[in-house]
Amino acid sequence: MSSLKKDSKIGTRKRIAVIAGDGIGQEVIPQAVKVIKASGADVEFADFDWGADRYLRDGTTVPPDGFARLSRDFDAILVGAFGDPRVKTNIHAKEILLGMRFKMDLYANVRPVRLLDAALCPLKGVEPKDVDFIVIRENTEGVYTDAGGVFKQGTPDEIATQEDINTRKGVERIILYAFEFCRSHAKIDGSPRGKVLMCDKSNAMTHAGSLWQRVFKEVAAEYPQITPQHMYVDALCLQMVRDPRQFDVIVTNNMFGDIITDLAAGLQGGLGMAASGNIHPGKTSMFEPVHGSAPPIAGKNVANPFGAILTAAMMLGHLGFTKETSKIDAAVLEALRQKKTTEDIGGSLGTREAGDWVAEQVSATLSS
Ligand code: NAD
Ligand code: IPM
Ligand code: MN
């Protein structure tokens, strides 16, 4: 097995590990895979059965060599979602999803926020050109490390602590990533990006806030052509719904990044439209839609597959398949224009049928 990835890097073929996971992950990921196949990208897939069913069957969340295998044998990982009402502790989601982020050191959670069709935005008078920003979320630290503990549990004197871990290395590399991203990525309309906004809560969380503030100023000084900005996270939430036009690149910690990207998904038409990548440059990275397993709608063929399909396009772009990425993005745009979508965004198609439509559109563009 160890030679597989090496071989794939010599040729152009890329190997993709697919972990559909739980709930609607099982429905949207097959649509994304179908669309990738239709794009003609030179890739091959290997399915992994990690998720709630496997955990309930044999107690395995991640097999002993799981993460090592992913890093060694694959160029990228495509993930659905984890979360199942039968697993009350959510232990499998923690070990698989957060496990990949932490143990594979995928420190940059890149979440593009793009409005593809004005009709999808709940805000008045907002058009696609007005919503085109990126949230760069720190993905390996913060309160997500689960550091802390309990004392006198179950008694009236119970104490629970949840530590917010911020390291100089972690803060510096994510802020640097944001500035580099800003420098090297254009907006959808082709104009250059020029602003990086750091979002924190340094008026209340002064210790972590001080570290983020100092590092942000130091890194910003290295990028004189980029305008550094700052907002407290509460104010940012207000501004995001008042005037999303003002945002370009936002960098923030793990927890704030989680929260503001659900809010930002609302600007794009809901969680069914939001894509993300969990990236460590040069290492095997993981791509997943922002949404969860959505248990109430799972198994009904109603989940919107576009977030997963746009995530697949993002993954292909990361792997160097730029033409294929553009074709998939264009096919999703066309689906929106022709209302060939699921009901959550105004169409009347099922998950599979919306996926089929995009796949056919991608194939048609290839042969035309
Ligand atoms: P969720 O994202 O699953 O659902 C939130 C809302 O958005 C629901 O109303 C749902 O129906 C809707 N929705 C989500 N995706 C949709 C889609 N593709 N099409 C149409 N509607 C969609 O979040 P939740 O309800 O808070 O969590 C459910 C489970 O998923 C929990 O176990 C949670 O921990 C887990 N979760 C996992 C991930 C992940 O694996 N990356 C992300 C978020 C939540
Ligand atoms: C996300 C999810 C996860 C997170 C959960 C499932 C742990 O909400 O990817 O946005 O909080 O990071
Ligand atoms: Mn989330």
Side-chain angles (χ1 to χ4, degrees):
M1 281 301 261
S2 61
S3 62
L4 278 176
K5 187 172 175 190
K6 237 163 118 202
D7 290 348
S8 78
K9 291 210 157 156
I10 291 166
T12 54
R13 172 160 296 187
K14 302 288 184 190
R15 284 179 55 85
I16 297 170
V18 179
I19 315 177
D22 305 333
I24 63 169
Q26 290 286 341
E27 298 170 83
V28 297
I29 291 301
Q31 308 315 313
V33 168
K34 183 163 66 190
V35 171
I36 295 174
K37 287 180 177 162
S39 80
D42 189 12
V43 297
E44 60 188 56
F45 299 96
D47 285 316
F48 285 66
D49 66 353
W50 302 359
D53 282 344
R54 167 91 185 262
Y55 174 65
L56 291 168
R57 199 167 62 238
D58 68 10
T60 307
T61 56
V62 179
D65 65 340
F67 296 132
R69 215 183 131 202
L70 290 177
S71 308
R72 191 184 59 215
D73 298 338
F74 294 92
D75 297 290
I77 311 160
L78 181 62
V79 165
F82 303 96
D84 186 302
R86 294 170 300 169
V87 186
K88 299 270 181 276
T89 57
N90 211 27
I91 179 76
H92 71 299
K94 217 164 129 184
E95 293 192 0
I96 301 170
L97 182 71
L98 300 185
M100 279 188 279
R101 293 178 184 169
F102 292 168
K103 296 194 173 155
M104 298 175 73
D105 203 27
L106 306 177
Y107 68 88
N109 194 328
V110 178
R111 298 188 157 185
V113 183
R114 291 188 290 164
L115 175 62
L116 299 181
D117 186 316
L120 298 184
C121 189
L123 304 181
K124 285 192 292 255
V126 171
E127 294 174 34
K129 66 170 171 44
D130 301 326
V131 182
D132 175 13
F133 62 93
I134 309 279
V135 177
I136 310 280
R137 166 188 179 190
E138 202 294 319
N139 216 26
T140 55
E141 305 193 339
V143 290
Y144 277 69
T145 58
D146 222 11
V150 289
F151 184 50
K152 299 186 182 178
Q153 194 172 33
T155 76
D157 297 328
E158 179 164 350
I159 297 169
T161 62
Q162 197 84 45
E163 297 289 339
D164 184 12
I165 307 293
N166 298 264
T167 67
R168 166 86 207 191
K169 172 185 156 186
V171 172
E172 186 172 324
R173 68 181 178 175
I174 196 66
I175 291 176
L176 261 172
Y177 190 96
F179 276 90
E180 274 303 306
F181 188 99
C182 183
R183 193 186 57 74
S184 57
H185 288 73
K187 292 188 182 170
I188 301 299
D189 66 9
S191 63
R193 295 195 177 274
K195 299 185 285 191
V196 175
L197 182 148
M198 198 256 284
C199 147
D200 65 17
K201 189 65 191 168
S202 53
N203 49 353
M205 300 161 75
T206 51
H207 309 302
S210 157
L211 176 61
W212 278 79
Q213 290 279 343
R214 279 179 286 121
V215 175
F216 185 67
K217 285 196 182 79
E218 280 171 32
V219 175
E222 303 292 318
Y223 292 84
Q225 72 284 18
I226 295 176
T227 308
Q229 301 177 320
H230 171 261
M231 237 179 237
Y232 298 122
V233 63
D234 45 356
L236 178 102
C237 290
L238 175 68
Q239 290 304 321
M240 220 182 249
V241 295
R242 270 218 163 143
D243 181 16
R245 295 168 191 86
Q246 66 190 290
F247 298 112
D248 190 344
V249 176
I250 297 173
V251 62
T252 191
N253 72 16
N254 208 338
M255 159 110 341
F256 298 151
D258 178 48
I259 296 168
I260 66 172
T261 51
D262 263 34
L263 178 60
L267 299 175
Q268 303 172 81
L271 277 162
M273 294 300 295
S276 83
N278 297 255
I279 295 170
H280 185 132
K283 291 193 182 185
T284 301
S285 294
M286 184 266 278
F287 296 80
E288 50 165 353
V290 174
H291 65 71
S293 55
I297 62 165
K300 298 181 174 161
N301 196 39
V302 298
N304 183 348
F306 288 179
I309 291 171
L310 293 167
T311 296
M314 196 178 167
M315 177 181 74
L316 290 182
H318 180 81
L319 293 174
F321 296 106
T322 41
K323 275 206 310 266
E324 291 80 355
T325 301
S326 310
K327 284 192 197 317
I328 296 173
D329 284 344
V332 171
L333 266 180
E334 189 56 24
L336 293 168
R337 208 181 61 78
Q338 296 194 33
K339 292 233 174 326
K340 302 292 182 188
T341 75
T342 44
E343 290 180 21
D344 56 307
I345 51 168
S348 58
L349 299 184
T351 308
R352 272 189 304 276
E353 292 69 27
D356 285 342
W357 198 92
V358 173
E360 276 160 32
Q361 181 73 16
V362 168
S363 313
T365 347
L366 285 181
S367 50
S368 65

